[in-house]
Amino acid sequence: MFSFPRMVNLLAMCVCLAYVQPASAQTQTLSEELAKEIVAIADSRTAFVSDYVAGSVDGIIAAYDDDATFAGTLQPFWLEGRDAIADLWQRYFAAWPQRNLIFRQPTVRFYGDASVETGYMEMYMSRPDAGTVATYIRYSITRIKTDEGWKIVNMHVTKLPGTK
C-alpha cells in the first residue's frame, strides 16, 4: 500500500512521461533507469515539503548544490550559494513558526544529467500576531544529478499576478 505522499509522487511520474519521451515513443515502456530518476525527483520534492513544514534549515539546504542560486518572494535579488540561501530560510522559519507548502501541477523535463521542474505552489505561513498568510506562487527548479542525488542549482519562485 502506498502512502499519500508516495501516491502523489507516482502521479507526478505520469505528468513527467510526456516530456521525457518523443511523442512517437509515448506508448513504449518507460525505461527502468528513467523511472527511477522521476521517482527520485518526486521524492526530493516530498522531502523539501517535509523539511519546510518542520522548519529544518539543514534539510532544506541539503537539497541545494554548493553554488546554487535562489530568487524568492521575500527579497528583490538573487541569492548565491548555500550560506546565503540558508540565511534566508533561517530568518523565514524564525519569522513564521507554522508553515505548509503544497506543490501543484509539477512538470519535470530531463536534459541528460539536468532537469527543469515547473509548476505552482501554495505557501501558507502562520504566527499568532499575523494569522495565516497564503501566497500563491509560480516556480521553476533546475537540478543536476550528482553523486549525492539530484541537487537544486537554481530555484526561482514568484507570486502569481493578482495575488497578495
Side-chain angles (χ1 to χ4, degrees), residues 33-95:
E33 182 179 337
L34 186 54
K36 286 179 185 177
E37 300 304 340
I38 293 169
V39 170
I41 293 286
D43 285 348
S44 69
R45 187 182 321 110
T46 300
F48 192 92
V49 171
S50 296
D51 291 330
Y52 176 88
V53 170
S56 172
V57 174
D58 290 341
I60 290 282
I61 291 306
Y64 290 90
D65 195 57
D66 291 338
D67 62 350
T69 57
F70 177 84
T73 62
L74 301 177
Q75 81 284 347
F77 52 88
W78 285 95
L79 299 175
E80 296 182 15
R82 288 173 71 170
D83 290 343
I85 296 168
D87 179 64
L88 173 78
W89 286 111
Q90 182 66 46
R91 288 183 290 115
Y92 173 74
F93 290 156

Side-chain angles (χ1 to χ4, degrees), residues 58-144:
D58 290 341
I60 290 282
I61 291 306
Y64 290 90
D65 195 57
D66 291 338
D67 62 350
T69 57
F70 177 84
T73 62
L74 301 177
Q75 81 284 347
F77 52 88
W78 285 95
L79 299 175
E80 296 182 15
R82 288 173 71 170
D83 290 343
I85 296 168
D87 179 64
L88 173 78
W89 286 111
Q90 182 66 46
R91 288 183 290 115
Y92 173 74
F93 290 156
W96 298 97
Q98 296 177 321
R99 300 155 302 281
N100 196 13
L101 182 65
I102 302 168
F103 282 88
R104 301 280 187 205
Q105 297 177 318
T107 301
V108 179
R109 292 169 178 88
F110 290 89
Y111 305 95
D113 286 342
S115 71
V116 176
E117 177 179 338
T118 58
Y120 301 93
M121 291 183 209
E122 294 175 25
M123 189 167 82
Y124 299 95
M125 310 162 291
S126 298
R127 65 179 182 219
D129 64 329
T132 299
V133 175
T135 306
Y136 303 97
I137 295 169
R138 157 185 330 146
Y139 76 92
S140 67
I141 300 172
T142 304
R143 293 181 180 89
I144 59 170

